Amino acid sequence: MTTNNPTIITIDDGEFNHAVPPELIEVPPEILSKIENVEENDNQSSNKCLTWIRIYVKKFHGSHEERPKRLPWHEYIWSFIGALLGIAAVAFLHFRLLERHQLSFLIGSFGASAVLIFGAPRSPLAQPRNLVGGHVISAICGCVVRVAIDRFEHSTACALAVALAIIAMQFTETVHPPGGATALLAVTTRPLLPWANFLFILMPALTGSCTMLLIALIINNIAPKRTYPTFWW
């Protein structure tokens, strides 16, 4: 009967103590430089982002300019008379002559135009080129967008009409803030006017703004210290 004696292996600790570690892999200098550049770019990007945010927030503080001085009392009277007669003219034509024929001569944006041409007649935005051109160009943009897009997505058509009207007015140098409302009304007005609502360009946009212009010429030039327009074209 045989027995298997376990074999005992002895290991000299000195072999481990004197073992030479493997050499480290040397990274090429060009790769090291690329890594450093990436880190620098990351730091620069974060610094630029923080700087941009800081400048952006500071803009909310405003330019600290002095607000315009209060107008003389007689300016309030002429502004009141002009706005009263200007809106009364287009409203009379709308309700007494055109509404029965399902036509329009009065739109909300004329109220905003009255603020400019009677309340700030010297403003570049209130001059005849801007008054008539702004409404007509904005109406064209609104009508075209309504035909092209409104049947697919109403909300997109509204936004696009106003955005295009702003660009068109800037390009043609006819910026008139109420024109944005005219473009929006050209999309949202119901029921539609004849000629697939393109009559909106002629009436009320063109004829209504011309009526407002006529009243502005009469009233503003009656006032002793007013001269309107400061330029025609």
Side-chain angles (χ1 to χ4, degrees), residues 25-81:
I25 298 175
E26 184 178 356
V27 180
E30 58 272 12
I31 296 180
L32 283 175
S33 63
K34 289 181 179 179
I35 295 173
E36 292 174 354
N37 290 336
V38 170
E39 293 177 352
E40 291 178 359
N41 291 334
D42 290 341
N43 292 332
Q44 291 177 357
S45 298
S46 60
N47 291 335
K48 288 181 179 179
C49 184
L50 291 175
T51 302
W52 183 87
I53 293 174
R54 194 178 301 111
I55 294 173
Y56 177 74
V57 172
K58 284 184 178 180
K59 290 181 179 181
F60 286 86
H61 294 221
S63 301
H64 302 288
E65 296 180 0
E66 187 178 357
R67 68 176 179 85
K69 295 181 179 179
R70 187 183 298 274
L71 296 172
W73 64 269
H74 55 80
E75 287 292 323
Y76 305 143
I77 296 176
W78 289 113
S79 297
F80 174 81
I81 294 173

Side-chain angles (χ1 to χ4, degrees), residues 3 27 45 50 72 95 119 126 135-137 162 168 204 231-232:
T3 58
V27 180
S45 298
L50 291 175
F95 292 111
H135 279 296
V136 171
I137 289 173
V162 176
F231 64 88
W232 274 96

Side-chain angles (χ1 to χ4, degrees), residues 137-229:
I137 289 173
S138 298
I140 293 173
C141 293
C143 289
V144 170
V145 169
R146 188 195 62 77
V147 171
I149 298 177
D150 186 56
R151 55 183 173 176
F152 302 109
E153 178 55 46
H154 191 60
S155 57
T156 301
C158 293
L160 187 59
V162 176
L164 287 177
I166 293 173
I167 295 175
M169 286 189 290
Q170 288 176 327
F171 182 76
T172 56
E173 298 180 354
T174 58
V175 175
H176 187 63
T182 300
L184 187 60
L185 288 169
V187 176
T188 58
T189 297
R190 296 292 185 276
L192 298 179
L193 296 174
W195 309 341
N197 207 45
F198 277 89
L199 181 63
F200 186 89
I201 301 169
L202 177 63
M203 186 172 59
L206 176 60
T207 52
S209 60
C210 287
T211 303
M212 296 280 290
L213 173 60
L214 178 61
I215 303 298
L217 290 170
I218 296 171
I219 301 301
N220 284 332
N221 290 314
I222 292 177
K225 295 186 178 181
R226 285 191 179 192
T227 300
Y228 183 82

Side-chain angles (χ1 to χ4, degrees), residues 117-144:
I117 62 178
F118 299 113
R122 295 192 61 83
S123 170
L125 306 177
Q127 304 312 305
R129 175 190 177 98
N130 300 73
L131 171 63
V132 179
H135 279 296
V136 171
I137 289 173
S138 298
I140 293 173
C141 293
C143 289
V144 170

